[in-house]
Amino acid sequence: MQPLSGGTVSGSVERITLHMSGISGDADPATREVQVVRKRAFPHEVAGLSAAQALRPAATAIPELITWGRDQYGLWLITPFVAGVLLSDQEAPANLFESLARLHGHFHGAADLPDELPRVDVRWWQQLCLEWVLPQIARHSDRHPLATITRASAVVTDAATHGQTLTQLSPTLLHGDVHPGNVLIDGQSAWLIDWGSCRVGPAMLDLANLVALDSEEFAIYRRAWEESTEIPFDADQADLGYRWAALQIPIQYLPWMIENLTTTEVETALDRAEQALAAL
């Protein structure tokens, strides 16, 4: 076994090499090595990735859930190991946006999704802002000037009152944390890794970290949505969802930014949140 590291990935993720022999129907009787990833998992992570298996193999960016189980330490899951590189400044492969479109289209309306999945609704949003983000800002208040901390608290308090926007947006199954650090590139294909933030919410939350609405990548997403669902794409929903995502993303990441980034970077995130509030 080999721990996987890099970025903020957990130490509970490890690569395992399986030595397979005597496989029925295998023309080569020699022992073969198969590499997989074992990850400590949350109940909602297992539930979300299990549900997403319905889109495979057409949605090629969704990893296979080989198996999952529970031991004395909690839940775990196993997926294939992909020897890829993280998405950085390179262009994301089309299969990433095609897979997200299939995922969002298939679960559009969020009917019959498991109860274990968090719902991005008004109550969830208010709790996130007031019971998680604000206390974390206070906890790390010594890392930044008082003016920045005061501004951050005011922005989050204001944002908490805008949750009604969520009632206008159709929910779907989300990966929930799509950013370059969770996209592996293997040749001409992308893989979405780390489903620990999967949830039910507006589709644009899975896109706003990567692409603009007027980009070719978003056009790929839109075409794949219409081809897979045979339903006309709702551009007004996408526009409102994207404006909502522009608010939620900097707010939900603010505790991490307050703890780990410079004051200038935190102020930039607050600028984005204020601009998003003005646009809603």
Side-chain angles (χ1 to χ4, degrees), residues 36-87:
V36 298
V37 173
R38 181 174 68 180
K39 181 180 186 293
R40 289 291 165 190
F42 303 104
H44 67 268
E45 183 175 6
V46 172
L49 190 51
S50 294
Q53 298 303 293
L55 280 302
R56 288 180 41 83
T60 55
I62 296 174
E64 178 188 2
L65 178 59
I66 297 173
T67 189
W68 62 274
R70 184 186 299 272
D71 58 22
Q72 66 269 35
Y73 303 108
L75 285 171
W76 50 264
L77 58 79
I78 292 179
T79 58
F81 173 77
V82 178
V85 297
L86 292 177
L87 177 66

Side-chain angles (χ1 to χ4, degrees), residues 133 136-137 140 143-144 148-149 209 247-273:
V133 179
Q136 292 300 309
I137 291 173
H140 300 293
R143 296 179 179 268
H144 302 279
T148 299
I149 297 300
N209 261 338
L247 174 63
Q248 181 175 320
I249 288 170
I251 293 295
Q252 73 182 22
Y253 288 126
L254 193 56
W256 183 88
M257 290 187 282
I258 289 280
E259 182 179 2
N260 294 284
L261 300 185
T262 67
T263 296
T264 298
E265 291 169 310
V266 171
E267 291 281 358
T268 299
L270 294 175
D271 289 342
R272 293 199 302 270

Side-chain angles (χ1 to χ4, degrees), residues 16 21 23 25 35 44 58 60 68 87 133 138 159 166 171 175 180 183 211 213 228 251-252 259 265 274 277:
I16 300 174
S21 62
I23 300 174
Q35 294 188 329
H44 67 268
T60 55
W68 62 274
L87 177 66
V133 179
L166 288 165
H175 173 278
V183 179
V211 297
L213 287 177
S228 63
I251 293 295
Q252 73 182 22
E259 182 179 2
E265 291 169 310
E274 287 180 336
L277 283 166

